[in-house]
Amino acid sequence: MVMLSRSRVVGLGLALAAAGAVLYFWPRQEPGVSEAITRQVITMARAAETKDVSGVMEGVSERFRTDSNWDKRQVRGVLTGQVLRGQWVRVFVTNLEVHEVSPTQGDFQARFIFGRSQAESVKDLAAESVLNAYLIEGTFEKEDDGAWRVVRAKYRSLSPAELL
């Protein structure tokens, strides 16, 4: 058994502490446009599933407009109505595609499927519940506070045949 002197133990402890500090404070690379928007879409879908209207709306810019000229306030009203009626329990995002336009802007397209069951997959959801599905296309921008928010969107209802 090798005995270490007290100074070597202290030195080893300081070296480990310094290494830990370097790793902790090392600059973390920000996610790319595609990853940042994908994360935001998933975060918003999870908030919708838990009926957290404010959580969904955090991802919507004050500058938001739809192709029908709805603004953020009108979208909040529709979303609040849906939550209060309790129409859906599950929210699935499928076929999500994100395309970087610039370092601060990206376009997306995804299918959002809302169902009235506890299904764990879209296949099970379709088999055991009433569902609504939409194709949503839009644009996210990185705003001054560093958050990615949707600024434009358009949607259309999807038929059951378009889901699979």
Side-chain angles (χ1 to χ4, degrees):
M1 180 175 206
V2 175
M3 296 291 290
L4 294 175
S5 68
R6 184 175 182 179
S7 62
R8 283 189 178 201
V9 170
V10 169
L12 183 60
L14 288 173
L16 289 172
V22 166
L23 288 174
Y24 181 78
F25 291 109
W26 193 267
R28 291 176 178 86
Q29 187 175 21
E30 266 190 52
V33 172
S34 182
E35 184 178 341
I37 292 172
T38 298
R39 286 180 185 179
Q40 186 64 5
V41 167
I42 300 301
T43 298
M44 292 170 74
R46 293 300 149 249
E49 192 169 79
T50 62
K51 300 178 180 8
D52 177 8
V53 174
S54 294
V56 174
M57 297 310 294
E58 285 176 20
V60 179
S61 175
E62 293 299 325
R63 301 176 289 127
F64 178 80
R65 288 281 184 260
T66 68
D67 60 337
S68 304
N69 208 30
W70 288 16
D71 62 13
K72 182 177 181 174
R73 182 184 51 78
Q74 290 164 310
V75 170
R76 177 186 286 277
V78 169
L79 187 59
T80 300
Q82 289 291 325
V83 168
L84 292 177
R85 281 192 304 208
Q87 290 293 319
W88 32 263
V89 177
R90 297 295 311 219
V91 179
F92 291 95
V93 178
T94 65
N95 299 68
L96 176 61
E97 296 177 19
V98 179
H99 302 283
E100 181 175 338
V101 174
S102 75
T104 59
Q105 185 182 63
D107 293 333
F108 78 98
Q109 176 179 322
R111 294 177 181 173
F112 292 83
I113 304 167
F114 303 87
R116 293 186 208 170
S117 86
Q118 296 294 332
E120 295 296 321
S121 73
V122 174
K123 185 176 95 177
D124 294 337
L125 182 72
E128 64 183 59
S129 79
V130 174
L131 55 89
N132 294 323
Y134 303 93
L135 177 68
I136 300 177
E137 299 176 53
T139 300
F140 274 86
E141 290 183 359
K142 188 174 184 179
E143 296 195 324
D144 292 340
D145 65 358
W148 285 89
R149 293 189 180 90
V150 64
V151 293
R152 283 184 298 283
K154 64 181 181 177
Y155 76 96
R156 72 173 176 84
S157 295
L158 294 173
S159 70
E162 292 177 286
L163 294 179
L164 303 172

